[in-house]
Amino acid sequence: MILGKAGKGTVSTSRRQVLKVMGAAAVAPLRPGLIVGAAQLLGGCGGGSSDVPVPDPDSVPVGSPLRVPPVLTPSSATATDDAYVLSVGEAEIEILPGMSTRIVGFDGMTPGPTIRARAGRPVTVSLLNELPPTTLGDAPGEVVIHLHGGHVPASDDGFPTDTVPPGTSRIYSYPNNQLPATLWYHDHLMDFTGPHVWFGMAGLYLITDDYEEGLGLPNGAYEVPLVIQDRNFDGDGNLVYTGNRNGEIGDTLLVNGTVAPYLRVADRKYRFRILNGSNARAYRIALSNGDSFQVLGMEGGLLPSPVAASSITLTTAERVDIVIDFSSIPVGESLVLRNLLGSGDTADILRFDVDRMETDDSQVPSVLRPIERLAVGDAVQTRSFTLSGGMMGGLWTINGNPFDPDRVDADPKLGTVEIWEFRNATMMDHPVHIHQTLFQILEINGSPPPATHAGWKDTVNVPARGSARIIMGFPDYAGRYVFHCHVLEHEDHAMMARFDVIP
Ligand code: C2O
Ligand code: CU
Ligand code: CU
């Protein structure tokens, strides 16, 4: 039993050109006031002329250019592994135009720098904690780094009480013996993960391998990570955190820390690795013209085949890897990545301005990576967990218990497969995340998951008054881990449990 194992099926080496998922160019009207597209400035686009419209170089698009977190350079690299140094500390950065915002960031930024790793090639991260004893949001300056989605030994997984005190450092080791996927790192301090992440402590960690690179998917400048977050700001430009135990919700959307972002794109395919890095808010992403995009995978890596979808919901901590084809959008026009669960300022996530023509030699092959299905018959145990609490300002609980780092709530045996059932007794959704392993969803509210959710996952939304059943193995690493609701204020108010993998 190997984590996130690829199936044994033969992978066809034939490459098929992606179907054109975009229909005839029909860009829906954009939100008034937000968009001054090059098309308007040019007095319309195309219009029977065969001339290619050229955007006016003097035009200033509304919004801010999308920031893309820099890729961290290893401090040293040997034949077998990469070593990184990462600091965490308070910083002042510009998020709202012309204002300065205090953050708690990795290397002075939020999201932090992106770490790019390769499957099978271990990484170490030396974390220097430069925070004061008490930091923003009246949170302690202790930090705990967790590599979310990582298959990591217990000692390096970031158990909520394994703290790195202010003014000290420690080295985290990540073996990367798992399939390529979109991971992220973030603080996991017991009771204070919400404020720590809200004020900036999160970044991406992308794993790839030769096989994935050989698929011909859009890469380089055409592979763009998108970390979607919501925040509240005060009149001085500083972040406001109230600690609402029902989940902190912001009224301003940020993508990679950019407010009202736009991205200039060519008329070709792009791959976007999208993370819902919000504390509590869920998004249903869709394109403003209603067209489909191709879903390549979610948290645990590639699906067996791409799945066309016109929208997909991401609860907090969920990721989706998609390809959008802009080839049917005329140069000079725009397309918006929308949030169908939002309204007003939370309805638009990111505007794509198609500003040039380019040839496209990328593809979305019809076979991505076969997945080994876990068999229900292989499960040696079924465990049930009821999610409840939260009434009258009380704690959130799992099987009636608030988190206690000293109490073991589940004890799966190393190398075995188990089924876990979650029942949600509350009126709110609870996206449950399990550390160390990846799982497959058997059922949500009694039905099999949609094809987009049928691959390896590490977070499953257990709907309000609903249920979810998942199956997973516990390979390679014994020791103590946690699972919890990933609404960070639910987690901080005790909707978390410890499980120990028993050798
Ligand atoms: Cu993303 Cu236990 O967390
Ligand atoms: Cu995790
Ligand atoms: Cu919850």
Side-chain angles (χ1 to χ4, degrees):
M1 175 58 231
I2 296 175
L3 182 94
K5 185 110 168 72
K8 295 173 192 76
T10 327
V11 176
S12 158
T13 49
S14 72
R15 307 275 185 247
R16 204 194 290 167
Q17 271 305 116
V18 62
L19 293 165
K20 293 263 190 235
V21 294
M22 296 293 189
V27 178
L30 302 168
R31 207 169 101 215
L34 179 68
I35 316 295
V36 182
Q40 280 109 305
L41 296 168
L42 290 163
C45 187
S49 155
S50 60
D51 290 10
V52 175
V54 178
D56 179 347
D58 297 329
S59 73
V60 180
V62 173
S64 305
L66 177 75
R67 183 182 163 258
V68 176
V71 174
L72 195 59
T73 308
S75 57
S76 71
T78 70
T80 53
D81 51 14
D82 295 314
Y84 292 93
V85 176
L86 200 56
S87 69
V88 62
E90 294 181 0
E92 300 253 351
I93 62 170
E94 183 177 309
I95 297 177
L96 302 172
M99 297 185 112
S100 108
T101 301
R102 297 181 71 210
I103 60 154
V104 177
F106 291 107
D107 288 358
M109 62 186 95
T110 186
T114 299
I115 293 176
R116 280 199 171 260
R118 298 193 75 82
R121 186 176 165 86
V123 156
T124 60
V125 176
S126 298
L127 179 82
L128 314 176
N129 182 355
E130 294 169 345
L131 285 171
T134 301
T135 185
L136 305 188
D138 282 325
E142 274 93 18
V143 299
V144 176
I145 303 304
H146 170 58
L147 178 59
H148 182 130
H151 181 47
V152 172
S155 55
D156 291 280
D157 188 60
F159 193 81
T161 53
D162 280 348
T163 60
V164 183
T168 70
S169 67
R170 76 152 280 177
I171 296 176
Y172 289 93
S173 297
Y174 302 128
N176 300 319
N177 61 339
Q178 62 188 101
L179 291 171
T182 305
L183 281 58
W184 58 306
Y185 60 93
H186 62 77
D187 174 76
H188 216 298
L189 182 64
M190 189 167 104
D191 300 341
F192 294 96
T193 298
H196 275 187
V197 172
W198 184 269
F199 287 104
M201 279 195 241
L204 287 166
Y205 186 107
L206 308 177
I207 302 179
T208 190
D209 70 357
D210 293 346
Y211 175 85
E212 185 187 38
E213 285 177 340
L215 289 173
L217 295 165
N219 64 9
Y222 308 105
E223 180 196 349
V224 183
L226 306 176
V227 179
I228 306 174
Q229 297 173 310
D230 60 335
R231 293 290 184 266
N232 291 312
F233 295 89
D234 67 16
D236 297 329
N238 278 314
L239 290 160
V240 179
Y241 184 77
T242 68
N244 180 348
R245 64 180 64 202
N246 283 331
E248 192 83 356
I249 297 285
D251 60 15
T252 301
L253 296 193
L254 306 178
V255 183
N256 300 343
T258 320
V259 175
Y262 67 86
L263 178 67
R264 291 187 158 138
V265 295
D267 64 340
R268 52 159 288 154
K269 293 185 288 300
Y270 282 71
R271 178 182 183 183
F272 295 100
R273 291 158 169 275
I274 305 177
L275 159 68
N276 179 355
S278 305
N279 282 37
R281 184 187 282 277
Y283 304 85
R284 185 182 304 149
I285 61 168
L287 294 171
S288 51
N289 63 358
D291 276 354
S292 296
F293 45 84
Q294 298 284 331
V295 175
L296 305 179
M298 293 190 72
E299 293 95 84
L302 295 173
L303 288 164
S305 307
V307 177
S310 56
S311 73
I312 189 167
T313 300
L314 293 180
T315 56
T316 163
E318 285 191 296
R319 285 88 75 200
V320 68
D321 191 345
I322 67 172
V323 170
I324 300 176
D325 189 344
F326 299 101
S327 62
S328 68
I329 309 298
V331 169
E333 294 199 9
S334 299
L335 193 63
V336 176
L337 186 68
R338 287 254 163 84
N339 169 26
L340 301 184
L341 301 180
S343 58
D345 286 348
T346 59
D348 288 349
I349 297 171
L350 171 62
R351 191 182 81 233
F352 303 107
D353 293 344
V354 181
D355 76 339
R356 62 194 187 276
M357 295 171 70
E358 266 181 27
T359 54
D360 185 359
D361 57 2
S362 71
Q363 60 174 350
V364 180
S366 58
V367 174
L368 295 170
R369 173 143 21 202
I371 285 178
E372 181 192 49
R373 290 269 136 221
L374 298 180
V376 168
D378 289 341
V380 299
Q381 175 133 22
T382 297
R383 297 177 198 267
S384 298
F385 301 100
T386 299
L387 310 171
S388 58
M391 299 298 286
M392 322 258 260
L395 295 175
W396 296 96
T397 58
I398 298 178
N399 282 349
N401 293 317
F403 179 59
D404 177 348
D406 296 322
R407 187 191 63 238
V408 181
D409 296 299
D411 54 355
K413 228 180 149 346
L414 184 66
T416 63
V417 172
E418 295 198 355
I419 292 171
W420 288 13
E421 301 176 334
F422 296 92
R423 208 159 290 285
N424 185 344
T426 79
M427 304 297 283
M428 298 191 79
D429 287 6
H430 297 293
V432 170
H433 167 54
I434 299 179
H435 282 217
Q436 199 256 38
T437 191
L438 294 169
F439 55 76
Q440 291 169 3
I441 299 175
L442 296 172
E443 286 173 7
I444 297 174
N445 288 345
S447 304
T452 47
H453 290 59
W456 293 107
K457 296 268 297 166
D458 66 34
T459 304
V460 60
N461 186 40
V462 188
R465 294 278 167 194
S467 64
R469 275 179 89 221
I470 62 175
I471 185 168
M472 65 203 147
F474 298 91
D476 302 324
Y477 307 126
R480 63 175 189 173
Y481 294 94
V482 290
F483 64 99
H484 56 88
C485 176
H486 217 287
V487 170
L488 298 181
E489 290 71 30
H490 297 184
E491 173 186 341
D492 283 345
H493 294 93
M495 192 177 260
M496 177 152 62
R498 168 176 168 180
F499 72 95
D500 284 18
V501 180
I502 309 297

